[in-house]
């Protein structure tokens, strides 16, 4: 009887946790201007940091989030932060190092 109870409990736990892992990342809960910590509180830690570069007057960081948390091979979204503030997010793009300067200058120009 103990084995049967333990097996049911284990199966139930696995079913509940596997459903939570298939949950989509809710990008509607984040807003432009949020800090990296606020974004992490809302949608969790990024799968990886795609890029980071220090400039004379600030820092650019690009975070990557999969659409499905348990499936990092699903559609990826990149979040662009300048000086710890979210400036833009959207579908993953092909990224080359020269793009650092393009994004950084785009957002710095908008702030002046």
């Amino acid at each position: 009887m103990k084995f049967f109870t333990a097996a049911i409990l284990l199966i139930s736990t696995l079913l509940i946790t596997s459903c939570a892992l298939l949950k989509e990342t809710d990008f509607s809960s984040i807003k432009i201007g949020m800090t990296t910590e606020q974004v992490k509180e809302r949608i969790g830690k990024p799968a990886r940091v795609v890029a980071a570069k220090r400039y004379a007057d600030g820092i650019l960081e690009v975070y990557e989030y999969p659409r499905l948390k348990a499936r990092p091979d699903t559609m990826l979204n990149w979040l662009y932060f300048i000086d710890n503030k979210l400036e833009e997010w959207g579908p993953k793009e092909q990224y080359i190092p020269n793009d650092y300067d393009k994004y950084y200058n785009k957002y710095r120009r908008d702030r002046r």
Side-chain angles (χ1 to χ4, degrees):
M1 186 67 173
K2 287 182 183 181
F3 175 76
F4 180 72
T5 304
I8 294 296
L9 184 61
L10 178 64
I11 291 170
S12 298
T13 302
L14 289 174
L15 285 173
I16 291 169
T17 57
S18 66
C19 290
L21 290 175
L22 294 177
K23 184 178 178 186
E24 287 191 27
T25 303
D26 183 12
F27 291 101
S28 68
S29 67
I30 60 174
K31 306 285 183 238
I32 297 297
M34 293 177 93
T35 66
T36 54
E37 290 306 313
Q38 290 171 323
V39 169
K40 289 176 185 176
E41 286 174 9
R42 299 276 176 98
I43 61 175
K45 290 173 42 177
R48 69 184 180 128
V49 177
V50 175
K53 186 173 180 181
R54 178 182 299 276
Y55 290 84
D57 61 346
I59 297 173
L60 165 71
E61 293 179 292
V62 183
Y63 290 4
E64 181 176 271
Y65 284 87
R67 186 176 61 85
L68 295 175
K69 294 179 182 190
R71 300 271 323 269
D73 59 333
T74 61
M75 187 175 110
L76 299 172
N77 283 281
W78 284 2
L79 283 66
Y80 299 86
F81 293 89
I82 300 283
D83 295 335
N84 196 37
K85 298 285 184 190
L86 182 62
E87 295 290 344
E88 176 182 355
W89 77 88
K92 174 184 174 181
E93 299 175 12
Q94 293 297 324
Y95 203 78
I96 56 175
N98 291 343
D99 287 344
Y100 295 135
D101 299 330
K102 178 181 83 172
Y103 282 104
Y104 188 78
N105 289 328
K106 173 183 172 183
Y107 297 122
R108 290 314 265 181
R109 210 177 6 254
D110 290 345
R111 288 181 171 195
R112 292 183 185 154

